[in-house]
Amino acid sequence: MAKISFKAKVQAVYNVDDTVAYHCIKVPELTRKHCDMDAFRKHPKYGSYANSDLFPGILRRIRKDKLGETIRLDKVPEGVTVDTSGFLAVVSISI
């Protein structure tokens, strides 16, 4: 199973009355440095594209379909894990 991971800061989104509505993480532009490239080369769907010039486009599509611009911590998508134990949250996506 291929894995994409990155670190990001958890941000609070506030209501009009200054109460916390939810916490979220901004998703960066995914690149090869975020990927476990050995696992991607062995992946049945993405293996033939892992070393090609099409791979950044595939990562953009994965980001758009699975994550979007931000990840709400109260609504984490399926296949995504978020570890908020440290200063930066570690987000891992299983493909």
Side-chain angles (χ1 to χ4, degrees), residues 4 6 25 27 62 66-67 71-73 75-83 90-95:
I4 301 170
F6 61 91
I25 297 172
V27 180
I62 290 171
K66 276 203 161 249
L67 304 173
I71 299 173
R72 284 182 59 161
L73 295 184
K75 298 180 182 178
V76 177
E78 184 178 331
V80 178
T81 58
V82 180
D83 178 17
V90 178
V91 180
S92 297
I93 304 128
S94 298
I95 305 295

Side-chain angles (χ1 to χ4, degrees), residues 31-93:
T31 61
R32 283 185 168 93
K33 69 180 180 180
H34 297 112
C35 302
D36 178 7
M37 289 306 294
D38 186 48
F40 266 100
R41 287 182 190 101
K42 295 175 184 174
H43 195 274
K45 183 176 180 181
Y46 301 115
S48 59
Y49 301 107
N51 289 332
S52 74
D53 292 336
L54 300 174
F55 194 64
I58 291 171
L59 291 177
R60 279 192 296 275
R61 183 63 180 245
I62 290 171
R63 178 181 184 250
K64 179 183 168 193
D65 291 345
K66 276 203 161 249
L67 304 173
E69 295 292 321
T70 60
I71 299 173
R72 284 182 59 161
L73 295 184
D74 59 342
K75 298 180 182 178
V76 177
E78 184 178 331
V80 178
T81 58
V82 180
D83 178 17
T84 58
S85 62
F87 176 71
L88 295 175
V90 178
V91 180
S92 297
I93 304 128

